[in-house]
Amino acid sequence: MKKAFLLGFLLFIIQFNFAQIIRTTLPDTISYWNKSNKIGLDISQITFVNWNAGGNNSISGLLKGNFIREYSKKNLNWKNELIFRYGINKQEGQEVRKTDDQFQINSAFGYRTDTLSNWFYAGKFTFNTQFANGYSYPNTALAISKPFAPAYIFLGVGAEYSRKDLKLNLYLSPLTQKQL
């Protein structure tokens, strides 16, 4: 009997020695940020075999991305977006050519005086440029454009009507500046 009691007591003690204490805390579920990330790679190939009407074999590629960060709380909206695209094409008998080249940053800020209104005082900023040299093909000895040359900056101040339930945004800007 003593052995059974001692064995039971020993198992009881061992159970508490190996027990885990798990503390859980709820994560902060209230976030006013919406995030969206999209990255893509498009590849296409065209091959003409025994084709009587003509045509050139080619292969193309396009790398693209779109990243959005949007903050929305009560009377305040702020949307930031980064867009990039770079495409190339190789045709039979020609060297590789750039088909698409874009780097763009957009930021829009809006403030409304009350939560019942769909009208916001708004400001927008856009920066638009390119990654690589641009050429007047087939002449690749002289670049007609270079990275960040040209680069465009757009600034605007005005009003925005926004209805998220209808996915409708109308931006009116009487004060706008575009800088090269």
Side-chain angles (χ1 to χ4, degrees), residues 63-150:
L63 178 65
K64 56 188 174 180
N66 189 359
F67 305 94
I68 299 173
R69 301 293 182 263
E70 188 171 3
Y71 179 84
S72 182
K73 181 180 177 185
K74 294 185 183 177
N75 297 345
L76 184 70
N77 281 341
W78 184 26
K79 182 177 181 180
N80 298 294
E81 183 176 27
L82 171 67
I83 301 168
F84 71 84
R85 297 172 59 90
Y86 189 76
I88 57 174
N89 176 272
K90 171 69 173 124
Q91 287 190 7
E92 184 179 15
Q94 295 179 349
E95 59 190 54
V96 175
R97 295 181 178 196
K98 178 175 77 168
T99 58
D100 199 352
D101 190 0
Q102 178 186 20
F103 177 78
Q104 185 174 12
I105 297 173
N106 300 315
S107 185
F109 181 82
Y111 178 79
R112 61 184 172 186
T113 55
D114 63 65
T115 57
L116 300 176
S117 175
N118 291 323
W119 284 97
F120 290 82
Y121 297 106
K124 289 198 179 226
F125 167 81
T126 299
F127 175 75
N128 196 7
T129 190
Q130 64 186 22
F131 290 110
N133 290 345
Y135 300 100
S136 179
Y137 293 107
N139 180 11
T140 58
L142 180 63
I144 59 172
S145 62
K146 296 188 177 189
F148 296 94

Side-chain angles (χ1 to χ4, degrees), residues 20-37:
Q20 293 180 351
I21 298 173
I22 300 173
R23 294 182 184 167
T24 59
T25 57
L26 294 175
D28 184 12
T29 57
I30 300 173
S31 177
Y32 300 106
W33 286 95
N34 289 325
K35 301 172 188 174
S36 173
N37 301 316

